[in-house]
Amino acid sequence: MSRVLDGGAAAAAFPLGGIGTGNVSVGARGELRDWELANAPDKGASLPFTFFAIRVAADNREAVTRVLEGKLRPPHEGDQGYDAGRLAGLPRLAGSAMRGEYPLLRVELGDPVLGVEVALSAFTPFVPLDADASGLPGAVLRYTVKNTSDEAADVTVVGSMANPVGIVRRNVFNFPEFEGHPRNEWVDDGLLRGIRFGTDLDEGDLRFGSAALSTTDADVTAKPQWLSGFWQDGVQVFWDDLRADGRLDVEDVESLDPPPHPDWFTRLRVGSLGIVARLEPGAERDFEFLLTWHFPNRARAWQGNIGLDNAGAGDVVRNHYATRFADAWAVARHLAAELPELEGATRAFHRALHGGTLPTEVVDAAAANLAALRSTTCFRLEGGVFAAWEGSFDHAGSCEGTCTHVWNYAQSMAFLFPELERSARTTEFLHETREDGRMNFRANSVFGNAAWDFHPAVDGQLGAVVRLYREWRFGGGDEWLARLFPGAKRALDFAFTEWDADGDGVLDSKQHNTYDIEFFGPNSLANSMFVAALHAGARMAAHLGEDAVADRYRAAATHCAERMDALLYNGEYYEQRIDDVNEHRYQYGRGCLSDQLLGQQLAHIVGLGHVLPADHVRSAIGAVSRYNFREDLSEHHSVQRTYALGDEAGLLLCTWPHGGRPRIPFVYCDEVWTGIEYQVATHLIYEGLAEEGLRIVRAVRERHDGRRRSPWNEAECGNHYARSLASWGPVLALSGVDYDAPSATLTVRPRLDATVMRSVFTTGRGWGEVEVGPGGAALALHGGSLDLARLVVEHPSLGRLEATGVSLRAGDAFPLTAPAPTTPPEEK
Amino acid sequence: MSRVLDGGAAAAAFPLGGIGTGNVSVGARGELRDWELANAPDKGASLPFTFFAIRVAADNREAVTRVLEGKLRPPHEGDQGYDAGRLAGLPRLAGSAMRGEYPLLRVELGDPVLGVEVALSAFTPFVPLDADASGLPGAVLRYTVKNTSDEAADVTVVGSMANPVGIVRRNVFNFPEFEGHPRNEWVDDGLLRGIRFGTDLDEGDLRFGSAALSTTDADVTAKPQWLSGFWQDGVQVFWDDLRADGRLDVEDVESLDPPPHPDWFTRLRVGSLGIVARLEPGAERDFEFLLTWHFPNRARAWQGNIGLDNAGAGDVVRNHYATRFADAWAVARHLAAELPELEGATRAFHRALHGGTLPTEVVDAAAANLAALRSTTCFRLEGGVFAAWEGSFDHAGSCEGTCTHVWNYAQSMAFLFPELERSARTTEFLHETREDGRMNFRANSVFGNAAWDFHPAVDGQLGAVVRLYREWRFGGGDEWLARLFPGAKRALDFAFTEWDADGDGVLDSKQHNTYDIEFFGPNSLANSMFVAALHAGARMAAHLGEDAVADRYRAAATHCAERMDALLYNGEYYEQRIDDVNEHRYQYGRGCLSDQLLGQQLAHIVGLGHVLPADHVRSAIGAVSRYNFREDLSEHHSVQRTYALGDEAGLLLCTWPHGGRPRIPFVYCDEVWTGIEYQVATHLIYEGLAEEGLRIVRAVRERHDGRRRSPWNEAECGNHYARSLASWGPVLALSGVDYDAPSATLTVRPRLDATVMRSVFTTGRGWGEVEVGPGGAALALHGGSLDLARLVVEHPSLGRLEATGVSLRAGDAFPLTAPAPTTPPEEK
């Protein structure tokens, strides 16, 4: 998506950082914002005096020094104006233009006064199928400067940064206060030089950590530690020093305030690293910085708002990344040493995703929400265990426990980092499924704390079975499946006893679900998921040789599908069957529920095909689109949370086109959730209603245009909400790529109404680009390996092509040419 | 100022509330925002489900129900979208237009769909010279509805409000959590009916209090308490109830969630009060609500960021208003009963101020900043003691103790509520001036806590002497003066011993001041104030019969003025005399300091005239305007706090037009403070440089245009910063009104370059309007009484007119006609 945002796009924040590492974001003016490095969300958190600046001294002209950001835009309010740390009183640049195509960001920064053009390129390596390579706590910040004047110029680009280690709070002046004493240290190890930001805290302290601002560039100038003091002597001296000659002096004292300093004396320690170069007219040069961090320790407990047992909160557990790197400097060394390879893979993925032929809104949605995977919502503990919140409140995680019914919708991680989804399934089926089959839908075992005691969630629990099938089918392996399948059987069998009160094979009792309430009576959210789970269970059972189990599940699936269809299909869509819709609060009755076929959607994605009557399914998902999608919400009356409003478009969770709305319907019914919008869009595409699906995707992304909301943050109950990872669904559905590891088959059946389909594709061990067009098909493998027994391509212009025994390694391409035309020449 | 703000003016917040009562504000969309009722600032604080709505049911048309607010504008970000309490998903109105002329607000709310026009008028009574009448914890919210359709319509206007008593924090969903149990109660006492919001907290509890939403209207409908519960049943039922027929039902249960409720169960209690009426085509009707509150108890300590002794923090002390009213309902009864008189006086003041001929920017500045007087910055304790912060951080007071050097600049309170300034002087000279004459420049005696031990502040301490003179001269009375003068003498004599190290009569040692640092050596900020204070002291001493003291002060003043002029005047402006400007940090040396003649400005305001050589003073203040005012700050380099930036204009605190900037100058030198802008503007007007002065005032107000910053909040170190009350200075200077109570003389010497000058005026006991023009002059007294020995009017078109023995009561007018023209008829 090539949307360009100017400095007025105040909501835009492009997050840097890897999986499970926390983030710092770049705003539309090119500024660093939202410092969330230390294992917790902290939207809006600033680091004082942390910014990049440029000094340009062209021969025969007065030197110009500017903050490397677009100018500040109104509103300019603040209880002390802009606090001193913001440096709002320094001159900035006239214009900025941000283009974020996740995982790559580019911000052009311009001002005629400079005599040079500057562009910031920023990214954190992103390599499909490699969670470690995609999990580096750091980023590359590369300022490319081109001398557009007719005079040679001496250029300094300098990054300044406050030591972020040990921050416990911010005072009324918005200055951080610290536990321990931050320490700045100059390091030059031959490969890298720069500032290591450390602390005197103990290594086991929750707030222990480090950060580094470094460069491989040899031509540096630095002030590793500004003067500190009661007042802001440091910044005045720094700025004057920079302006004077573009070279920084090392301070010979820590502070001009005479010691001894009282305990409350500021511990803020700022340092600056500059790169200097002379640019001839027309010359261009990169000024490249590495920003890395390392906050190894988390509290060994969720400490979330749901209130799971937090017994381990006094202990710490390390982040996975902390087991790979000793500190932030080690991260920087790794990043510098591996940069060509890491950047190459990142750019290849970027090209494969953004350079294909899928509609821009689909690519935009899929790419932008990958940021959620690398936000504070997700993390990895030592040992590699994956865990996640539902989302991130501004200053705390939202709703703990890798919630099964929210992660039910997510597809991006399954198809890009399948090992992480496997970790979640392992937790669910080995540690959170009780003997009786009830699954704790929020996992507390990841911290070793006591299991959560609450209703089971029908959609989450059954969805987990389908997702186990998805992960196994994508390459999880038989050994892994065999370990988890006993738990999956218990979880599936639990449905019969817990949720089918009358034993008719259709779930109908009190059913807790993703709307945080309980449905009563037969409904197709639960039952479509039950049918899908039964089919998935049957396939896994059959593969493991448990034929009786497979037969039983298959029969139950067929029976449930038939009976559910008979009970719930109203000739147009699937309803909830309940005698008095107001007997219990929070039901939907005759409503048209957007999620009514969530199980069928999931069945499509995992290759189960239609598990309900195809004509009814098509009609029902069409009704969802017709009734629940609104081009304009100005006349919509919702007293619930609000994610779309006014003249915005969006898909409502439920409507009552034929009346029957309960007095108090379920508590989110009038809301618009991007995760559900994506799952419905995906389903529409699978059913051949691509235009209806794309309309929904466009609506979501138009709501996230940088002015209304950030393009890289789709919120629900929290920022970077996990359900938004449903946004990979339309890529799967449109590209029609389906990988079945057990049979080593890759199938490509594009559902895109275009002559040529070119898209990224992933399998369990390899990823690349696929192109299908009139002349044939081609695979290009960019990473990993691909060993196929069978490759099948179907496309209207091609018919069906097939190849067997395809084996590719990264860098290989494989063409599958269409047979020579058999059309007689005279018809041409 | 007739600036009209549309709904995009997101920074605009018009505060309602009286002196020392806290506030709730109205935003540009007509919404209630920034709930700060409970004795502390809390910018941004929302009350869930608190809003007004309208239902219009025209005959033969479908009823329309809308939130009575302009539509929400981007950005729409939020970590859970808009939280449920915001009700962002309900339809709002297409347009809004806010016109705030403090103390009156009008917001026009329009949408063709309604078929009626709606305008909100809102105010809290403001009566000059009557701090009690201007100190009511409440506001009138009057919705005027006009039926512009051709059909009669049934109209309901309904206000909903969450019980605000006992809020201790907000949870991650932005719902308040309470100490105690809020209780809603329906009350109809014959005069008023509505909802009283109470609590079961003890009367002595810090969070104890009440609020009320009431009306004198007889045609009401109400739901005093919504359903409460774990989910938001209450709002769904309320909104459906309202939409159904415009009449509200009383709920017969508290909650649909079966009891018993756990302790963490929501304590949120929302209630709605509606007024219903049938409007014929063309008919107009007011729907008038009173919103009142009563939070009697404050902690008996500042608990501020400076860290004065807080020994009494465990006790409570009542607000002054709590000694007048038993609870919020009593406030409402008083407001309802006295409304005609209170509103009449408020509107008369509004007309006198906004309807005169002073330049709109001057009126706008003077009026808008009166909000600071009635903000959380200021309060009154039981017994009537006035105390104030310097300003209000978003969520706490900023810099405690009615700081002498900040309040040095304030004029609005002295000339509108002189009893409050007298209270501050009483505190300063009876309780905060030590035996040796050193004044604690932050008062802790107001709470009975231990005195603050810090440097004395040269400008604040000497300014307090001048302000004692101001208060006495404005009508403080001889008895009061006699009590305080001994302290004033000690304070003044202290200057000779403390700050005049070499005994040459010019202050020159370590001088702490309003820039929070110490100046060393002679400077004209301190010495101009010293000269003014000595003259003021001499006059007071002479009046009290202490002739020797008077002679001594007068001689010292003359000597100091001469020597200071010789030492500091550089031929253009006054400098700081210091051998090595870098020997101490934070000096200004050869700089042009905006405050260099603060003492002279104050001398003008209090009627002392020039206390320094007039030609040098004119040159110097002209230099301040010339060097320090910047039409555009895009090229300004400041590393300090930022109150003006980019293409905005503003007056810098100091510049170095001829070089000599210290390496580390004083810590705010590159900032722009509205309080100093106003004092310099005032001074320029006094010196005959009105255009230069108005240019500065315009710059301030253009920076506060509702989009950049709120028009009713000029921040410095905190919102509603006390220094902004210097904004009354230009009114005094331009109108040229000077009242001298000891001689019972009112002088009017307009400095406005216009044929007619019409303005508000105040004296110690009476206030009204004065008009001076070619035909003569006229006084109209709107409040209090005025007994003058002498009335003097001077104007270019009139020459000098004089009257003696003028005695007026409220409602009286007094014409002073110019003598019949003596020009021979043939010249006409």
Side-chain angles (χ1 to χ4, degrees), chain A residues 76 79 233 585-586 708 718, chain B residues 76 79 233 585-586 708 718:
Chain A
H76 297 307
D79 64 2
D233 301 352
R585 286 172 289 169
Y586 315 136
R708 298 163 182 266
Chain B
H76 297 306
D79 63 3
D233 301 351
R585 284 173 291 169
Y586 314 135
R708 296 162 183 267

Side-chain angles (χ1 to χ4, degrees), chain A residues 107-327:
Chain A
V107 186
E108 285 165 20
L109 295 160
D111 196 319
V113 75
L114 288 181
V116 300
E117 288 174 1
V118 187
L120 164 63
S121 300
F123 67 96
T124 295
F126 188 105
V127 184
L129 309 180
D130 191 339
D132 276 358
S134 306
L136 295 177
V140 176
L141 297 167
R142 182 182 295 143
Y143 290 90
T144 304
V145 180
K146 179 173 185 180
N147 186 349
T148 52
S149 80
D150 52 5
E151 308 234 37
D154 292 309
V155 176
T156 302
V157 175
V158 57
S160 300
M161 180 169 168
N163 188 318
V165 184
I167 295 175
V168 285
R169 73 185 74 83
R170 282 164 173 85
N171 66 20
V172 289
F173 304 108
N174 205 20
F175 283 116
E177 297 184 345
F178 296 84
E179 203 171 274
H181 293 80
R183 305 276 188 234
N184 295 7
E185 180 191 1
W186 176 253
V187 181
D188 185 339
D189 67 9
L191 172 64
L192 282 172
R193 52 212 57 81
I195 305 164
R196 184 186 182 284
F197 299 97
T199 177
D200 63 359
L201 286 172
D202 185 85
E203 278 194 14
D205 194 285
L206 190 60
R207 300 190 194 280
F208 175 78
S210 58
L213 182 64
S214 63
T215 183
T216 54
D217 208 309
D219 298 322
V220 299
T221 184
K223 191 188 289 285
Q225 187 166 305
W226 292 6
L227 290 171
S228 73
F230 183 80
W231 295 112
Q232 308 309 327
D233 301 352
V235 62
Q236 184 72 65
V237 170
F238 160 73
W239 191 251
D240 291 344
D241 188 1
L242 175 64
R243 287 183 81 186
D245 61 3
R247 294 273 174 181
L248 300 173
D249 299 327
V250 175
E251 300 295 343
D252 52 12
V253 295
E254 183 171 87
S255 175
L256 299 177
D257 291 320
H261 298 143
D263 189 57
W264 52 258
F265 201 71
T266 181
R267 298 180 186 182
L268 188 70
R269 295 292 179 271
V270 184
S272 299
L273 169 65
I275 300 173
V276 295
R278 184 168 175 82
L279 291 187
E280 297 301 322
E284 181 176 291
R285 184 193 199 277
D286 289 341
F287 296 71
E288 182 177 292
F289 298 84
L290 304 182
L291 171 61
T292 53
W293 59 90
H294 192 271
F295 289 84
N297 302 327
R298 289 178 170 270
R300 198 172 63 66
W302 285 103
Q303 299 181 292
N305 53 302
I306 303 287
L308 274 58
D309 174 69
N310 289 315
D315 306 331
V316 301
V317 57
R318 284 187 302 166
N319 282 311
H320 171 69
Y321 76 71
T323 66
R324 302 176 55 215
F325 304 105
D327 68 357

Side-chain angles (χ1 to χ4, degrees), chain B residues 457-474:
Chain B
V458 65
D459 49 349
Q461 174 155 346
L462 297 175
V465 174
V466 185
R467 291 181 283 139
L468 172 63
Y469 176 68
R470 178 185 66 187
E471 272 61 278
W472 167 65
R473 186 170 176 266
F474 203 61

Side-chain angles (χ1 to χ4, degrees), chain A residues 66 75-76 79-80 82 89 231 233 239 243 256-257 394 585-586 635-638 642 668 708 716 718, chain B residues 66 76 79-80 82 89 231 233 239 243 256-257 394 585-586 635-638 642 668 708 716 718:
Chain A
R66 288 289 184 273
H76 297 307
D79 64 2
Q80 48 206 289
Y82 287 96
W231 295 112
D233 301 352
W239 191 251
R243 287 183 81 186
L256 299 177
D257 291 320
D394 284 347
R585 286 172 289 169
Y586 315 136
E635 298 292 317
H636 180 54
H637 288 250
S638 167
T642 307
Y668 307 130
R708 298 163 182 266
E716 192 188 305
Chain B
R66 289 289 185 272
H76 297 306
D79 63 3
Q80 47 206 289
Y82 287 96
W231 295 112
D233 301 351
W239 191 251
R243 287 183 82 188
L256 298 177
D257 291 321
D394 284 347
R585 284 173 291 169
Y586 314 135
E635 297 293 316
H636 180 56
H637 288 249
S638 166
T642 307
Y668 307 130
R708 296 162 183 267
E716 191 188 307

Side-chain angles (χ1 to χ4, degrees), chain A residues 3 60 141 172 180 206 220-221 256 282 322 353 461 491 497-498 812:
Chain A
R3 190 158 47 196
N60 306 315
L141 297 167
V172 289
L206 190 60
V220 299
T221 184
L256 299 177
L353 180 55
Q461 173 152 348
T497 54
E498 175 75 7
D812 290 351

Side-chain angles (χ1 to χ4, degrees), chain B residues 646-683:
Chain B
D647 61 3
E648 296 179 327
L651 183 83
L652 301 173
L653 261 62
C654 194
T655 64
W656 286 265
H658 311 303
R661 179 178 164 114
R663 180 173 182 241
I664 303 179
F666 72 92
V667 293
Y668 307 130
C669 65
D670 297 320
E671 298 184 359
V672 172
W673 294 356
T674 72
I676 291 181
E677 291 179 292
Y678 290 132
Q679 81 87 352
V680 168
T682 301
H683 199 170

